[in-house]
């Protein structure tokens, strides 16, 4: 499985961004993680193969994960962005339960930078 993330950028607090992750091959459960400088990679959101979703408390109500199986693409709609959301965002595939743990995903994209200014 190969994953290609895109859609990052520099935005202001309160703005929105939509990340995309184009996949090749069967992806099963998928997720988004992020890593800020000097911090560990953390779970953001996940979606199962049958579209059940899970979110980190820090993004619940602001971010929406979705998938288009026909296009084999994963999305992350990010609204009401905050400076604390600044990080490199990674998409991942093939996740095993629990989907909140990065080591449970065997396939990773290259990451896309999201920077939120105050």
């Amino acid at each position: 499985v190969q994953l290609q993330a895109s859609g990052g950028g520099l935005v202001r607090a309160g703005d929105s961004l939509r990340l995309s992750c184009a996949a090749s091959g069967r992806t099963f459960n998928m997720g988004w993680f992020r890593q800020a400088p000097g911090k560990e990679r953390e779970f953001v959101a996940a979606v199962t193969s049958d579209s059940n979703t899970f979110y980190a408390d820090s993004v619940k109500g602001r971010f929406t994960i979705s998938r288009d199986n026909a296009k084999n693409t994963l999305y992350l709609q990010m609204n009401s962005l905050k400076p604390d959301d600044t990080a490199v965002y990674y998409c991942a595939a093939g996740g095993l339960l629990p989907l909140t743990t990065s080591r449970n995903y065997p396939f990773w994209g290259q990451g896309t930078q999201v920077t939120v200014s105050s």
Side-chain angles (χ1 to χ4, degrees):
V1 175
Q2 293 186 327
L3 304 172
Q4 180 73 40
S6 61
L10 172 61
V11 297
R12 295 180 177 179
D15 284 352
S16 298
L17 273 178
R18 188 176 81 155
L19 305 183
S20 299
C21 176
S24 62
R26 296 192 66 181
T27 51
F28 300 102
N29 301 324
M30 301 186 74
W32 288 98
F33 289 76
R34 66 187 181 186
Q35 188 166 18
K39 295 186 178 181
E40 293 187 354
R41 191 169 297 189
E42 65 174 2
F43 169 74
V44 175
V47 58
T48 65
S49 55
D50 55 355
S51 297
N52 292 311
T53 58
F54 305 89
Y55 296 94
D57 287 343
S58 59
V59 306
K60 202 171 292 183
R62 299 188 298 122
F63 291 10
T64 302
I65 188 171
S66 61
R67 63 191 298 164
D68 184 333
N69 291 328
K71 295 181 179 180
N72 216 11
T73 301
L74 177 71
Y75 301 101
L76 185 67
Q77 177 67 42
M78 305 186 294
N79 299 330
S80 302
L81 282 161
K82 305 175 181 179
D84 284 349
D85 295 319
T86 296
V88 177
Y89 283 70
Y90 298 90
C91 59
L96 302 176
L97 298 177
L99 297 179
T100 56
T101 303
S102 61
R103 64 176 178 269
N104 286 356
Y105 292 80
F107 306 109
W108 290 85
Q110 86 288 4
T112 184
Q113 176 71 47
V114 172
T115 303
V116 185
S117 63
S118 57

